[in-house]
Amino acid sequence: MFALQGKDKKFSPSDIVFLSVIVTILTLVSLYNISDFGVTWDLDIHYAEVESYFDYFRTGSLDTSKVSDLVTQSRAFDKTNIIQKYSYNDIFNYGPFSDLIGGFFNLIFNEKLHLLDLTRAFSLHVIIFIALTVLLVYIFTLKNFGRLSAVI
């Protein structure tokens, strides 16, 4: 029923329907529970990073002082936090992609449309990444190991 067809390894229509249903259910459950997404210990740092990048896009100069100040305050506040524990010196080591997506969703759904608060709008990209990860892992597993492995 869900088997790949021949050497081409094309998806059957039932594979596509099954995957669509799983990803849709996962996304809807995640969106329903978005109010449970809380403030993380480093949300202010990530948000300041996004503001720095947005300022860079507007002005052409990158000012990281907001982020550096927040990292310094975080270190001073709690010597056992994760920044100290892992010798994490600069939030920019994360890379900007995920934070920029979160900042873009915040700009649209919080600042422009006023549909979500900052925390939930900034967390929307997590739901999209979860759905894409499930989608890609399912496709990879289905193509390489078969339907049973993909479903499990």
Side-chain angles (χ1 to χ4, degrees):
M1 180 172 155
F2 286 86
L4 297 173
Q5 300 170 353
K7 292 182 180 181
D8 295 338
K9 294 190 175 184
K10 293 180 182 176
F11 289 104
S12 68
S14 58
D15 290 327
I16 295 169
V17 169
F18 181 76
L19 183 56
S20 299
V21 167
I22 294 298
V23 170
T24 301
I25 289 171
L26 173 71
T27 303
L28 290 174
V29 168
S30 298
L31 287 172
Y32 178 77
N33 291 312
I34 198 166
S35 62
D36 294 336
F37 287 42
V39 177
T40 60
W41 67 271
D42 62 348
L43 180 66
D44 56 342
I45 298 172
H46 287 282
Y47 189 70
E49 178 191 21
V50 168
E51 285 183 333
S52 296
Y53 282 120
F54 282 176
D55 288 344
Y56 173 75
F57 294 144
R58 284 190 290 264
T59 65
S61 76
L62 184 61
D63 178 17
T64 62
S65 61
K66 292 180 196 173
V67 179
S68 298
D69 291 345
L70 286 169
V71 170
T72 302
Q73 290 170 10
S74 179
R75 286 187 180 138
F77 177 72
D78 182 4
K79 294 293 183 188
T80 62
N81 68 25
I82 199 165
I83 293 174
Q84 289 292 330
K85 207 177 278 186
Y86 296 103
S87 299
Y88 187 71
N89 296 322
D90 190 355
I91 197 70
F92 289 94
N93 291 336
Y94 271 49
F97 181 73
S98 179
D99 285 339
L100 285 173
I101 299 294
F104 182 70
F105 282 133
N106 178 57
L107 179 68
I108 293 171
F109 292 104
N110 178 27
E111 296 177 15
K112 299 293 183 194
L113 300 176
H114 306 289
L115 295 174
L116 297 169
D117 63 16
L118 183 142
T119 306
R120 281 139 189 98
F122 204 78
S123 299
L124 274 178
H125 73 289
V126 174
I127 294 172
I128 292 170
F129 290 152
I130 289 169
L132 286 174
T133 300
V134 168
L135 176 81
L136 293 174
V137 168
Y138 183 86
I139 291 170
F140 173 81
T141 307
L142 182 65
K143 283 189 163 231
N144 291 294
F145 303 106
R147 181 187 146 251
L148 181 62
S149 297
V151 170
I152 293 174

